[in-house]
Amino acid sequence: PALSAALYALHHRSRDLTELHPAHTYLRGLRLNAVPALKVWAPLLAWLTVIAFTLTHFSATGLPGWWALLLAAIGAGCLLWGAHALVLTSLFAFRARDTARLAAYFLFRHGRATLAAASLLVLTAASASLLTEAVPALLAAPLLLSLLHGSRAVIAETRKDFTT
């Protein structure tokens, strides 16, 4: 919900540099998007927890090694789907089912937006593993602004084709 509210606030920010009250927009985004974001992200995080637990204890599973690659690919795909779902949940008022379908549709429809989200995922994972886990938290605003910028085509098509 906090990331969704931050995306909402970044999208609805004023172009006036002297406007120094972003908390009002952030709180409005939090109020509007907390429940829809939880409806989408809670199952996703539960699924990613299962994948991460399986990968960290992979030797105990007795599965062949290619299963680890398959699970990692599924986890990465789920994270990319979640990035699209986060943008859609933050900026539009769809049912959770419709958000999930649209996020899956845009995963393949807009390859540049998916590639932008993938590059942010790689950047975040590399900075967290090489430096410290605090780096993604410290860089949350620029990362979310980059996600928003990379998802412009998704936002435009959603506004044009899927809203009235």
Side-chain angles (χ1 to χ4, degrees):
L3 292 178
S4 179
L7 266 177
Y8 179 87
L10 285 171
H11 183 72
H12 291 94
R13 73 186 185 281
S14 172
R15 300 290 181 222
D16 183 16
L17 294 177
T18 61
E19 199 273 309
L20 300 175
H21 302 287
H24 177 70
T25 310
Y26 176 82
L27 291 174
R28 184 171 191 270
L30 189 62
R31 187 183 75 245
L32 290 174
N33 298 328
V35 173
L38 283 174
K39 284 182 181 179
V40 172
W41 273 84
L44 176 64
L45 288 177
W47 176 243
L48 289 173
T49 301
V50 169
I51 290 174
F53 186 80
T54 304
L55 287 175
T56 55
H57 298 85
F58 193 74
S59 60
T61 63
L63 295 171
W66 60 271
W67 273 87
L69 293 174
L70 180 64
L71 283 174
I74 289 171
C78 288
L79 281 173
L80 293 174
W81 173 86
H84 286 305
L86 178 66
V87 170
L88 292 171
T89 301
S90 301
L91 304 180
F92 301 101
F94 295 125
R95 296 179 302 179
R97 176 182 3 184
D98 296 333
T99 301
R101 287 179 183 163
L102 281 175
Y105 169 74
F106 286 130
L107 194 62
F108 300 105
R109 172 87 169 115
H110 289 287
R112 293 180 88 174
T114 304
L115 187 61
S119 66
L120 290 174
L121 176 64
V122 168
L123 177 68
T124 303
S127 65
S129 64
L130 295 176
L131 299 172
T132 179
E133 293 86 8
V135 171
L138 292 173
L139 296 177
L143 289 171
L144 287 175
L145 192 59
S146 297
L147 179 64
L148 191 62
H149 181 71
S151 299
R152 287 180 305 187
V154 170
I155 296 166
E157 185 174 339
T158 303
R159 188 170 284 129
K160 179 180 170 253
D161 294 341
F162 299 105
T163 59
T164 57

